[in-house]
Amino acid sequence: MSVGRVADRYCLNPGRPRQTWHVVIETDEKLPFKPGDSVAIWPKNHPEQVHALLDYFGIAEDTSLAHGKEMVPAGELFSERIEINRGPKSFEGYDLPTFLRTHYPKGLPIEEFQGMPLRPRLYSIASGSSFDKKELLVAQAQYECEHGMKQGVCSYYLTERAPIGKFDFSVSMHSPRKFCFPSSMPLIMIGAGTGMAPFRSFMQEVEIGSISCPKAWFFFGEQQEEYDYFYRDFWESLKERGRLRLDLAFSRDQATKIYVQHRIWEQKKELWQWIIDGATIMVCGNAQKMAKDVDSILARIAMQEGKMDESTALSWLRSLHHENRYMRDIY
Ligand SMILES: Cc1cc2nc3c(=O)[nH]c(=O)nc-3n(C[C@H](O)[C@H](O)[C@H](O)COP(=O)(O)OP(=O)(O)OC[C@H]3O[C@@H](n4cnc5c(N)ncnc54)[C@H](O)[C@@H]3O)c2cc1C
Ligand SMILES: NC(=O)c1ccc[n+]([C@@H]2O[C@H](COP(=O)([O-])OP(=O)(O)OC[C@H]3O[C@@H](n4cnc5c(N)ncnc54)[C@H](OP(=O)(O)O)[C@@H]3O)[C@@H](O)[C@H]2O)c1
């Protein structure tokens, strides 16, 4: 396990209700990576919630508590070792202090408390592997719940709480086997929101010549061009120099929503030709919405342009997937 620090950060769309940040991290040892890899980060919980837990149990920060086979100070246990936002189904809509106060109003003895181990959060690396520092594109996660607005632990830790320049968190590399960029093949990249990240990493590598890509096409979607077109200059420069074909879908710049799959459908003939010519398709971003709709639109294109019936189109898509010509990193 390595130790990491936030070296720099800034908001890419300040003032927006849902902010996305550029976060630069450094690690104490070199962690080699390739485009498509992610970092796994163990964040620290919000100090207010840590204090709420200490108050609830009526213990001090330095009270020694058992955590598995170890003895750990209570402050460290609540800050770094247990989940505050995630838990079993009965936990939905609560953070841990609220859950305990609601379900055990008379107090739960600390000996009976068993927290869920804190899980690392993954973030796709958004910069080329030649750089010592790793750049991340982090959307602040906030969810409206019965008990008010909840802030995501890690996204807020990285964008607001982690001290700049101080080694403060554990980090490791995560290299998904099923999200490996091809070399010397045409590439179709589809991403919404933070799903842009691995494609920026890849195109930075192409720019410096460490990966070859005969032709690349990027479909990117976000809410509003004026605020949410992250790294605009980089993408526009690639497009102007003929290094990249670019189609943008800004969902909230007009009365009706336009998403990446609408842009894909508009370009279906040419896109189909790219696929016939051997292009690999890579998708990154929201699993619940975007990735499902992109999947459906690709099947529809196969039906219309490839003259397949629905079940043939679906098995064609599955075979692309098995051949690693249709890869997804979705969350
Ligand atoms: C392979 C991979 C790559 C990723 N890459 C990136 C990236 O590049 N950039 C990025 O910003 N994120 C990325 N993520 C997501 C990231 O790992 C975290 O999940 C995200 O930042 C939220 O973590 P958090 O700790 O801030 O929120 P948490 O503290 O985990 O809070 C989330 C809380 O909200 C609740 N919740 C979740 N969804 C809902 C909902 N719809 N309604 C109500 N409550 C809900 C959960 O139950 C949980 O309690 C990636 C994920 C994966 C798996
Ligand atoms: N931070 C939060 O509060 C929040 C909110 C939503 C999701 N999330 C989660 O956070 C992760 C990253 O989110 P993100 O900020 O990178 O971007 P995102 O929420 O995925 O949004 C990026 C773009 O995708 C659009 N979109 C919505 N539904 C779509 C669909 N069915 N098909 C195609 N595009 C669609 C959005 O449009 P519209 O927004 O105009 O519909 C927006 O323009 C995801 O896992 C997501 O589930 C977080």
Side-chain angles (χ1 to χ4, degrees):
M1 187 76 62
S2 304
V3 186
R5 67 179 168 197
V6 171
D8 192 14
R9 68 182 161 221
Y10 54 88
C11 182
L12 293 164
N13 51 1
R16 299 282 283 155
R18 190 196 49 163
Q19 294 187 353
T20 299
W21 287 62
H22 176 86
V23 177
V24 183
I25 64 161
E26 285 172 335
T27 48
D28 64 338
E29 50 190 358
K30 220 169 165 55
L31 294 178
F33 69 97
K34 54 188 187 326
D37 289 352
S38 304
V39 282
I41 290 180
W42 279 259
K44 288 187 177 164
N45 288 317
H46 198 293
E48 262 178 33
Q49 288 171 311
V50 173
H51 286 114
L53 286 173
L54 293 170
D55 284 353
Y56 175 82
F57 289 112
I59 53 177
E61 246 176 278
D62 57 1
T63 308
S64 199
L65 297 176
H67 180 63
K69 289 179 184 154
E70 275 179 271
M71 293 305 287
V72 181
E76 182 185 324
L77 178 77
F78 295 156
S79 166
E80 302 175 28
R81 306 289 189 105
I82 57 162
E83 280 292 344
I84 287 241
N85 272 353
R86 297 177 181 193
K89 257 220 146 0
S90 60
F91 192 89
E92 286 292 299
Y94 293 96
D95 56 23
L96 186 55
T98 316
F99 178 83
L100 290 170
R101 283 194 299 258
T102 311
H103 288 269
Y104 304 95
K106 291 188 183 146
L108 182 73
I110 186 67
E111 299 74 34
E112 287 178 29
F113 170 72
Q114 279 198 329
M116 297 250 307
L118 183 87
R119 283 187 300 172
R121 274 63 163 170
L122 296 179
Y123 295 90
S124 312
I125 297 169
S127 48
S129 60
S130 60
F131 304 111
D132 277 349
K133 296 174 182 170
K134 296 172 177 64
E135 297 173 357
L136 311 178
L137 188 55
V138 181
Q140 288 188 334
Q142 40 176 262
Y143 304 99
E144 184 77 53
C145 296
E146 218 182 300
H147 303 276
M149 204 65 164
K150 272 211 292 184
Q151 291 186 348
V153 170
C154 194
S155 54
Y156 274 83
Y157 168 75
L158 287 173
T159 58
E160 292 189 358
R161 295 198 308 278
I164 305 275
K166 180 179 167 225
F167 283 104
D168 199 52
F169 55 86
S170 298
V171 54
S172 69
M173 287 305 303
H174 175 80
S175 303
R177 269 187 309 119
K178 290 282 175 195
F179 200 71
C180 281
F181 281 87
S183 180
S184 309
M185 298 293 287
L187 180 64
I188 297 164
M189 301 175 277
I190 302 166
T194 52
M196 168 192 279
F199 304 129
R200 180 172 181 261
S201 171
F202 177 79
M203 290 309 298
Q204 285 195 348
E205 295 283 347
V206 172
E207 278 287 83
I208 59 166
S210 60
I211 297 183
S212 92
C213 180
K215 55 181 188 170
W217 192 348
F218 183 27
F219 291 90
F220 172 65
E222 248 296 343
Q223 291 182 351
Q224 288 188 266
E225 177 171 6
E226 189 181 347
Y227 309 103
D228 309 316
Y229 186 3
F230 314 131
Y231 313 115
R232 173 199 297 264
D233 293 351
F234 176 68
W235 298 112
E236 290 297 321
S237 153
L238 286 167
K239 183 179 146 187
E240 274 159 29
R241 289 179 289 120
R243 306 290 296 262
L244 179 73
R245 184 162 172 173
L246 186 61
D247 276 282
L248 303 168
F250 291 103
S251 53
R252 303 191 189 189
D253 274 352
Q254 60 286 307
T256 44
K257 295 256 173 156
I258 296 178
Y259 290 147
V260 280
Q261 63 271 22
H262 300 123
R263 296 291 185 226
I264 292 171
W265 183 250
E266 286 165 12
Q267 309 278 343
K268 56 185 175 299
K269 284 200 187 310
E270 250 188 285
L271 191 106
W272 182 249
Q273 195 55 52
W274 276 52
I275 298 172
I276 299 292
D277 293 343
T280 296
I281 305 168
M282 298 186 78
V283 180
C284 185
N286 189 312
Q288 299 305 320
K289 301 178 190 166
M290 183 270 304
K292 284 186 184 157
D293 290 348
V294 165
D295 203 65
S296 308
I297 212 75
L298 292 173
R300 272 182 62 198
I301 292 175
M303 288 162 71
Q304 179 148 334
E305 299 302 315
K307 309 280 178 265
M308 298 179 196
D309 62 25
E310 191 176 356
S311 79
T312 316
L314 292 175
S315 40
W316 166 79
L317 212 47
R318 275 196 297 276
S319 66
L320 267 195
H321 183 74
H322 289 308
E323 292 162 20
N324 284 343
R325 281 189 51 209
Y326 176 32
M327 291 181 269
R328 308 193 303 169
D329 203 23
I330 55 178
Y331 43 90

